[in-house]
Amino acid sequence: MITSEEVRKLFINFFEKRGHKNIPSSSLIPSDDLSVLLIPAGMQPLKKYFTGEKNALNDFGTQRLISIQKCFRTTDIDEIGDERHLTFFEMLGNFSFSPVGSDDPSDYSNSGYFKKSAIYWAYEFLIQELGLKIDYVSIFKGENNIPLDEEAKKIWLSLGLSEDQIKLFGREDNFWGPTGDEGPCGPTTEIYVDNIEIWNLVFNEYYQEKNGVLRKLNLRGVDTGMGLERLMKVIQKTETIFETDLFEPLRITLLNLKSDINQRDLRIILDHLRSSVFLISDGVLPSNLERGYILRRILRRLMLKLVKYNLLDYLDQLVLAVKNKFNSIYENLNNYDKIINVIKGEFVSFEKTLRRGLNKFDRIVVYRNREEMIEKLFIMFSSYGLPLDISAEILKERGVFLDNKDLELFQILFKKHQEVSRPTNE
Ligand code: SER
């Protein structure tokens, strides 16, 4: 069976042979970009090459780059526990910047390319290198004054896909970006294997302004992204991404310690532990602000689950399992002492609150209707310090899901409470 380590090598070799330079993953913390808190995609550190503010030929000697970028998607935090969502993941991507040269897939030079080479190489890599079978692809159907992507369609037909295998979708599904408030973006073609979208090829020809208006760039860029976890799922034919080798030896270590962890909790532990380790190794520390708060939230939810299964004492072993999988790729994971100390520090400061909250929860959160339920959750927060996300997770375990109305009510109670407790000069 092909391992993720082998897939990394195959990807790098394939594209290096075709004139690309492999650049190391950037830190999860953006270096000179305030538009996002954490890097959500492989293209983010390369934004300036798409807009023309920077020139890849000057900086790298080629208009063709590849990376395996560490990514973190904050929007998916509440979805973790299902079969496919992750906060932290790695994204394989090949990129090309203007000016576009011949766009001939047999041109292995350092010039820019566009749709034809991007699609040919994606096809070749999946079919010939990995032995996968494409079920179907999607292309942009044309919407909001942006035309149907006839060119992508023709290219796919020339590769032997039938009309039925080329689905047409609009802005919602087949147009990517921008990340943050503004930036480069464009129509996409997406490749599905085993009914899973595994590779997104973006043709960056537009720039979206802060007010939402799209303008056509004079440049044509290619930004592709293939999540390594999903790719490994289809290669290794596992039931979900969580059984791929990317979560070993952590998954086996956990199951050896506790064989009765339910699927959802297991996935939360796998995801949150891995993402905390990566965030901390890149310099994020828990706090009440921005990325520090994101880390704090996932660490606290992780702690809730470790406490539930009496796994807190095995933290060192679990963190080591993540380190051992990835430290040959990401050297800063070798800073094991720092990582474990940050996690333990957060756990120590939250432990008393969590244990007291768990003790009181069932006695206090007794309710006859939603309103009363939220009032009780507010008491858990205001009198016992239990954060709403932790209460929400405890309820989720019991099949009770908070909706937007519940969250609004909680906010109203929060504001009232602030007003009452604000000191006055009267
Ligand atoms: N930016 C696109 C994505 O993240 C392709 O890399 O899916």
Side-chain angles (χ1 to χ4, degrees), residues 40-44 73 89 91-95 176-177 179 188 197 199-202 204 223-226:
M43 62 79 72
Q44 190 76 26
R73 296 225 166 139
F89 63 100
M91 190 180 260
L92 313 177
N94 56 297
F95 308 94
W176 198 83
T179 56
T188 66
E197 183 223 312
W199 206 342
N200 186 12
L201 280 51
V202 184
N204 265 313
D223 149 30
T224 87
M226 176 156 58

Side-chain angles (χ1 to χ4, degrees), residues 20 64 106 124 155-156 244 264 285 323 325 339-340 354 368 374 385 391 399:
H20 294 71
R64 305 177 177 191
S106 62
E124 216 181 322
I155 299 167
W156 282 119
T244 63
R264 184 170 172 274
L285 293 173
K323 177 195 141 180
K325 177 68 181 175
I339 297 170
I340 197 84
L354 180 62
R368 281 159 298 182
I374 298 300
S391 291

Side-chain angles (χ1 to χ4, degrees), residues 21 42 75 92 136 138 163 234 255 298 303 387:
K21 180 162 171 57
T75 44
L92 313 177
Y136 60 92
S138 61
E163 290 265 356
V234 300
L255 290 175
I298 58 173
M303 188 177 181

